[in-house]
Amino acid sequence: INAEYGDQKKKDQSSFKNVSEENQRLKAQTEKLERDVKAEKETLLTENEKLKRERDSLKGERDTYKNQIDKGNQVTETLTAKIETLSKERETLSKERENLLKEKETLSKERENLLKEKETLLKERE
């Protein structure tokens, strides 16, 4: 019985030693994995913050460009309206010029007639 007990005790001690070594190995592996996960988590958090800042910066740029486009569109609308107004004014001035030319022609004819009349009167007076 003592021999069996001694053999069993040795087996149990050997098993305990094996289990203990396995536990130490698993504990070391777990600690390493926890360190790796922590480091990866910190890296990801840092990258996430960097991406958030970049996103915010890009949103700001986008808003700036949108504002510039809106201002450009407003300027375009204003200039288009001015062009339309100037075209109408040009048309009006063109019509006024035509009228003034007709009036000039009329006045010129009247002048001619008056000069002829004056000449006739001068001849009659002589």
Side-chain angles (χ1 to χ4, degrees):
I1 291 178
N2 279 343
E4 264 183 50
Y5 177 74
D7 286 344
Q8 186 62 40
K9 186 177 177 184
K10 284 182 184 177
K11 285 182 186 176
D12 287 348
Q13 284 176 341
S14 177
S15 287
F16 179 76
K17 183 181 175 190
N18 288 342
V19 167
S20 180
E21 287 173 356
E22 181 67 12
N23 281 345
Q24 286 297 325
R25 188 184 67 73
L26 289 173
K27 184 179 178 185
Q29 189 177 8
T30 301
E31 288 172 355
K32 182 185 182 316
L33 285 172
E34 285 175 344
R35 284 190 308 272
D36 291 349
V37 166
K38 184 179 178 184
E40 182 67 19
K41 184 178 178 182
E42 287 177 16
T43 300
L44 290 174
L45 287 173
T46 302
E47 282 183 36
N48 193 24
E49 287 302 314
K50 180 182 172 188
L51 289 172
K52 283 180 181 178
R53 285 191 303 273
E54 190 175 330
R55 178 199 63 202
D56 292 345
S57 172
L58 290 171
K59 281 183 179 179
E61 284 181 35
R62 180 197 63 201
D63 291 345
T64 299
Y65 291 135
K66 278 185 176 181
N67 288 338
Q68 288 175 349
I69 288 170
D70 288 346
K71 286 179 184 175
N73 288 338
Q74 289 173 352
V75 168
T76 300
E77 287 175 21
T78 303
L79 290 175
T80 301
K82 283 184 180 179
I83 288 170
E84 286 176 16
T85 302
L86 289 173
S87 289
K88 288 178 184 175
E89 284 181 26
R90 184 179 185 190
E91 231 177 90
T92 303
L93 289 173
S94 183
K95 287 178 184 176
E96 283 182 24
R97 183 174 185 269
E98 276 182 42
N99 290 338
L100 287 172
L101 285 174
K102 286 179 186 176
E103 193 176 328
K104 179 184 175 185
E105 193 178 315
T106 303
L107 288 173
S108 190
K109 286 180 182 176
E110 282 183 28
R111 181 176 178 264
E112 259 183 59
N113 289 338
L114 286 173
L115 283 175
K116 285 180 185 176
E117 199 175 312
K118 177 184 173 185
E119 199 176 303
T120 306
L121 289 173
L122 283 174
K123 284 182 183 178
E124 282 179 13
R125 192 171 152 204
E126 285 177 10

